[in-house]
Amino acid sequence: MKSRITRLSLTDFRSYETADLAAHGRSVYLHGANGAGKTNLLEAVSLLSPGRGLRGSSLTEVGRRMPGEAVGRAWAVSALVEGDGGEVRIGAGTEAPGAARRQVRIEGETVPPGRLAEYLRPLWLTPAQDRLFLEGAAERRRFFDRLVFAAEPEHAAHATAYERALRERMRLLTADEPADPAWLSALEARLAESGVLLAEGRARTLAALQAEIDGRTGRPFPQAALTLTGEWERAAAEGVDFADLEGRLARALAAARPRDAAAGRALTGPHRGDLAVVHREKDRPAAECSTGEQKALILNLVLAQAARLSRAISAPNPILLLDEVAAHLDPVRRAALFDEIEALSLQAFLTGTDEALFETLKGRALGVLVEGGTLTVTDPG
């Protein structure tokens, strides 16, 4: 299903007092000096989807704040999104300075944030993910869960339910007074249900991604072999029945109460899983590859998911948010990236400090100079 931003508007968002970008559904490359506000525009787009956006910032951080102002101003981001049924206006923002609750509107009607996934499902890659294979498992889980969410928006609700029950269980286990066993069992039942849903979503996405990667040959991006190393994700991938796996996880949590209480954290469950990536041609773990190869492996995962979702009939096409990605690619891979975005008929927003990085994209996308809080079109595309 088609999904493209035709117009993006910002008010008091990060470095922008106001900004208006008429994209007309085209891909956009943003160029300008460091600190000019290029990533802020990508973040604005990412906040037009459920979740905390590509920076993971709190809502109070993104409101524009002038010197002497203690809290950020109320902010707003809106977009006209062209889909199969025509254009729809969606928006997100806060209604008061320092507000911690996001208001979401579709065609002027206030709706739950989850409704945004009906219109936009951005996938992003940022410099913060450059060390994805060198950081702890938590970063890889967050990265992979975002890929899952792009295909299955309900995955976010399962994750939220799981994390809420996990926190409540640990609060009871570490309290001064002995916990009520019946209440713990009820929490563990909720944990098991949402945990298995998480594990199954990850397993489905990994299988689909691997199949997509295996079929995408003859490209200058390294092929990856993917594995979910968590016990529960492996069981889900092996086809263990949902009820059996749910019961197994509930029993494991119950048996682990003394150990978890002593450790101060839960030591079993899908929150302990990891994503393992191997450079197939070199047969080496991604963490042992060069920085450029690691970046290319991550990008190939994002492109594989984008390619898969671009064929979806009942869900919006993904929009790619690629922050400073061109600078880390050699000219061959850079040109291949631009060609692939065009071949998939996807809209992408890319950033880079040097306009020359986008030489092979000129005439095919909208070029915009970001400078001093203003946007100036340098390439009409």
Side-chain angles (χ1 to χ4, degrees), residues 362-379:
K362 288 184 176 180
R364 298 190 285 167
L366 182 69
V368 178
L369 172 65
V370 182
E371 187 177 37
T374 62
L375 308 177
T376 304
V377 174
T378 56
D379 176 10

Side-chain angles (χ1 to χ4, degrees), residues 162 185-197 199-200 232 235-236 240-254 270:
Y162 181 85
S185 294
L187 281 173
E188 287 160 355
R190 284 162 46 193
L191 268 173
E193 180 184 17
S194 54
V196 173
L197 288 169
E200 288 190 336
W232 309 102
V240 176
D241 177 75
F242 182 93
D244 289 346
L245 193 55
E246 184 182 17
R248 187 190 304 178
L249 179 52
R251 290 190 295 273
L253 288 165

Side-chain angles (χ1 to χ4, degrees), residues 202-329:
R202 290 170 180 167
R204 279 192 301 270
T205 294
L206 183 127
L209 266 180
Q210 189 66 73
E212 187 72 37
I213 290 170
D214 292 347
R216 291 158 55 81
T217 57
R219 300 160 61 254
F221 295 99
Q223 295 289 88
L226 311 176
T227 308
L228 288 169
T229 63
E231 172 186 358
W232 309 102
E233 290 86 349
R234 288 200 308 270
E238 291 165 1
V240 176
D241 177 75
F242 182 93
D244 289 346
L245 193 55
E246 184 182 17
R248 187 190 304 178
L249 179 52
R251 290 190 295 273
L253 288 165
R257 289 174 190 172
R259 184 185 63 174
D260 290 352
R265 63 186 188 279
L267 297 175
T268 189
H271 64 286
R272 304 280 294 175
D274 199 356
L275 170 69
V277 178
V278 172
H279 189 305
R280 180 174 289 163
E281 290 88 344
K282 294 189 172 183
D283 193 25
R284 295 176 62 188
E288 297 178 8
C289 296
S290 70
T291 301
E293 287 172 333
Q294 291 183 35
K295 187 76 171 187
L297 282 165
I298 299 169
L299 180 58
N300 203 21
L301 289 181
V302 173
L303 289 173
Q305 184 70 321
R308 184 171 81 90
L309 299 181
S310 71
R311 300 190 295 271
I313 297 173
S314 58
N317 286 347
I319 289 179
L320 297 175
L321 307 177
L322 304 176
D323 192 17
E324 298 289 351
V325 71
H328 295 273
L329 299 176

Side-chain angles (χ1 to χ4, degrees), residues 32-151:
N34 289 326
K38 304 183 299 296
T39 305
N40 294 344
L41 285 169
L42 269 58
E43 183 181 25
V45 176
S46 74
L47 286 171
L48 291 172
S49 67
R52 297 180 64 175
L54 60 82
R55 280 189 172 116
S57 301
S58 67
L59 299 180
T60 57
E61 293 179 75
V62 301
R64 191 168 70 99
R65 189 169 60 193
M66 299 298 291
E69 293 181 337
V71 297
R73 300 181 181 186
W75 57 271
V77 175
S78 68
L80 282 174
V81 180
E82 183 183 16
D84 291 343
E87 280 190 336
V88 176
R89 181 173 293 279
I90 66 175
T94 56
E95 296 185 335
R101 187 178 185 85
R102 175 172 52 167
Q103 299 295 320
V104 170
R105 291 187 176 88
I106 297 175
E107 289 294 338
E109 179 184 354
T110 301
V111 299
R115 289 283 309 278
L116 290 169
E118 298 173 18
Y119 302 93
L120 279 188
R121 297 192 188 177
L123 290 171
W124 56 75
L125 190 57
T126 72
Q129 294 165 330
D130 287 352
R131 293 180 55 81
L132 185 70
F133 301 123
L134 305 177
E135 300 288 356
E139 292 301 320
R140 287 184 290 278
R141 281 196 303 273
R142 278 192 283 271
F143 169 78
F144 192 73
D145 278 342
R146 187 71 205 183
L147 297 182
V148 180
F149 169 79

